Amino acid sequence: MIDDPCDRCEEMMQPYLDGVLSEDEVRAAERHLEGCTWCAKRYRFEERLRHYVRVAVSEPMRPELKAKLAALRTPLT
Amino acid sequence: MSESASPTAESRRLAQEARDRVRFEEEALELSDQVYRVARRLVGSREEAEDLVQQTYERAFRSWRQYTAGTNLRAWLLRILTNLNIDRGRRQQRAPQTTSLDGELGDYFLYNRLESTAGEENPDEERVLSRLSQDAIVDALAEVPHDFRDVIVLVDIGEFSYADAAQILDIPIGTVMSRLHRGRRILKKNLAEKAVTT
């Protein structure tokens, strides 16, 4: 059982950012976030972190591989 | 009507098929950057990722007729890639048992840890985030066990839905959600250990 509203908000953070909460749950989370800078800061951090991780681990494909893949196409007759 | 198509109908059908095939190949190639980015984090090295992506496209171009036009082509390609990755000897790991430590770490854990060791009062989120270097993030993700990492890579890096990730990995959607939940916590634990000390 979760009594502390900040604990409840922490539990809702991942599903909130994943966009899988119901409308009622989203409203409940946002009501809490409006009044709680402590949780709001952690939500903002999590959102930034996700973006930061995505960018940090993104390694572009080398042009050599791109050329190899293009060469796999069926030749036009 | 005769059973066999007339020569004209047959040549029209072949011409249509050739056009469909060209379109399929072009659409698949347009997704190659995105496929590679996901592949690169599913395996340990650039060479492995490149081999895997090449094999994926070879197989996809051979079996293009099995793709249903209008469905998610990127997910279809990743499904092939994941299967090839397993065929290559990557054993499906059994999910490790939850340790008591993982259970105790809430979703605010990383922030709390980074903030409390930041060496300044009430730092902003950017300042807290700047304690994580790019290398630390890459290593922290690589050290997450396969089963959990696959889901993180597909959902958080590849931006696939839970449903697509479930289909790609051939696991129930509930398993995607539970692995994602635990995987993100393991990733955060790894990140906390690699944070730059200030």
Side-chain angles (χ1 to χ4, degrees):
Chain A
M1 206 174 90
I2 299 165
D3 291 314
D4 184 329
C6 293
D7 284 351
R8 173 79 190 121
C9 201
E10 179 172 3
E11 285 292 319
M12 287 166 94
M13 181 170 73
Q14 299 292 353
Y16 177 87
L17 294 176
D18 286 345
V20 295
L21 289 182
S22 69
E23 278 180 34
D24 285 351
E25 289 169 323
V26 168
R27 267 195 297 275
E30 287 174 351
R31 253 199 318 273
H32 178 76
L33 290 171
E34 275 168 28
C36 181
T37 52
W38 196 82
C39 282
K41 201 169 193 182
R42 281 152 183 77
Y43 268 56
R44 283 200 303 273
F45 171 78
E46 188 73 14
E47 208 169 7
R48 296 282 302 117
L49 177 69
R50 285 192 184 190
H51 176 74
Y52 194 53
V53 169
R54 192 155 49 239
V55 173
V57 304
S58 174
E59 188 182 288
M61 179 164 61
R62 291 193 306 154
E64 291 87 336
L65 178 60
K66 194 160 238 183
K68 277 187 193 170
L69 297 181
L72 296 173
R73 277 179 301 192
T74 313
L76 293 172
T77 48
Chain B
M1 277 294 283
S2 70
E3 273 183 25
S4 60
S6 69
T8 335
E10 177 62 6
S11 60
R12 266 207 301 272
R13 191 188 65 77
L14 286 174
Q16 182 61 48
E17 186 178 81
R19 281 195 297 275
D20 289 347
R21 181 174 195 149
V22 168
R23 190 185 308 135
F24 169 85
E25 291 178 353
E26 291 303 328
E27 284 175 11
L29 286 171
E30 279 170 22
L31 295 169
S32 62
D33 284 297
Q34 296 176 52
V35 171
Y36 176 79
R37 275 170 217 267
V38 172
R40 178 64 190 89
R41 296 304 159 203
L42 290 177
V43 299
S45 70
R46 191 185 71 197
E47 290 70 23
E48 277 179 273
E50 290 185 342
D51 281 354
L52 202 50
V53 170
Q54 192 170 349
Q55 285 178 22
T56 298
Y57 275 81
E58 284 166 3
R59 185 174 288 188
F61 286 2
R62 268 202 313 275
S63 36
W64 71 281
R65 284 185 189 85
Q66 290 167 27
Y67 168 71
T68 310
T71 59
N72 187 336
L73 179 55
R74 195 166 67 101
W76 190 80
L77 292 167
L78 257 303
R79 178 75 198 266
I80 294 177
L81 187 136
T82 310
N83 284 336
L84 284 168
N85 195 25
I86 292 166
D87 293 348
R88 283 158 66 97
R90 143 101 143 69
R91 294 275 157 269
Q92 289 291 69
Q93 276 183 346
R94 284 186 53 176
Q97 295 300 305
T98 308
T99 64
S100 57
L101 183 59
D102 292 335
E104 287 162 20
L105 301 178
D107 279 315
Y108 290 167
F109 159 77
L110 179 62
Y111 188 87
N112 293 343
R113 171 69 72 85
L114 294 177
E115 188 188 57
S116 67
T117 54
E120 63 180 278
E121 282 288 308
N122 206 19
D124 66 22
E125 308 91 77
E126 288 302 321
R127 172 97 184 94
V128 171
L129 201 58
S130 69
R131 296 188 51 209
L132 301 171
S133 70
Q134 181 176 6
D135 286 349
I137 294 175
V138 169
D139 292 346
L141 179 64
E143 289 168 17
V144 174
H146 281 310
D147 279 345
F148 301 106
R149 197 176 68 210
D150 287 355
V151 179
I152 294 179
V153 169
L154 290 173
V155 175
D156 286 350
I157 314 297
E159 299 182 83
F160 281 104
S161 66
Y162 295 172
D164 283 337
Q167 213 189 4
I168 290 166
L169 296 170
D170 199 20
I171 54 177
I173 200 161
T175 309
V176 168
M177 290 162 76
S178 61
R179 285 186 189 175
L180 192 58
H181 186 73
R182 262 210 69 203
R184 283 169 172 166
R185 289 184 178 192
I186 296 170
L187 176 63
K188 283 185 181 174
K189 188 157 78 76
N190 295 350
L191 285 170
E193 286 162 6
K194 292 174 196 305
V196 183
T197 40
T198 49

